[in-house]
Amino acid sequence: MAIEETLKSRKGRYGRATDNALVSQSLMDVVRHNGPSFKEWSDLHKMIVQMIFSKISRMACGDPDYVDNIHDVIGYAKLLENYLIDKEKGVPHDN
């Protein structure tokens, strides 16, 4: 599949990239600027939350019933859970 075809199909599924950028970055800005503990987050923590916001944005801007988005949210949440459990136990994280 040519890249233009891929972009067209993704736009149909997820909505416009500019809308997604606005929604996902707005969500992250709320946490970044209003979350007192945000400064304590690891880079992995920040990245995973950003990816979850990206998936939420895709549901808000595109097809809200596309199950793959929620599947990805669950996967990212599990990665964060594993990281935090390992951190609590003092186990080095390998994901």
Side-chain angles (χ1 to χ4, degrees):
M1 176 182 291
I3 193 64
E4 291 303 325
E5 292 174 29
T6 300
L7 292 174
K8 185 177 179 181
S9 107
R10 298 276 165 82
K11 182 179 178 184
R13 174 71 73 185
Y14 301 126
R16 296 179 343 151
T18 52
D19 292 337
N20 274 281
L22 175 65
V23 171
S24 66
Q25 290 306 300
S26 294
L27 290 168
M28 198 64 190
D29 284 345
V30 168
V31 173
R32 185 182 299 113
H33 299 298
N34 299 298
S37 67
F38 179 80
K39 64 184 174 288
E40 299 168 24
W41 289 11
S42 69
D43 288 340
L44 181 64
H45 200 143
K46 292 173 188 175
M47 186 276 300
I48 288 173
V49 170
Q50 178 62 61
M51 292 305 297
I52 290 171
F53 287 162
S54 177
K55 298 302 178 171
I56 292 169
S57 172
R58 286 177 166 191
M59 289 187 284
C61 297
D63 181 353
D65 296 326
Y66 186 48
V67 74
D68 192 60
N69 286 324
I70 206 65
H71 180 78
D72 287 347
V73 168
I74 294 165
Y76 284 118
K78 181 62 179 159
L79 286 174
L80 184 53
E81 179 186 42
N82 292 348
Y83 168 77
L84 295 173
I85 289 169
D86 288 349
K87 181 179 175 184
E88 192 174 78
K89 293 178 180 178
V91 176
H93 196 262
D94 63 351
N95 285 17

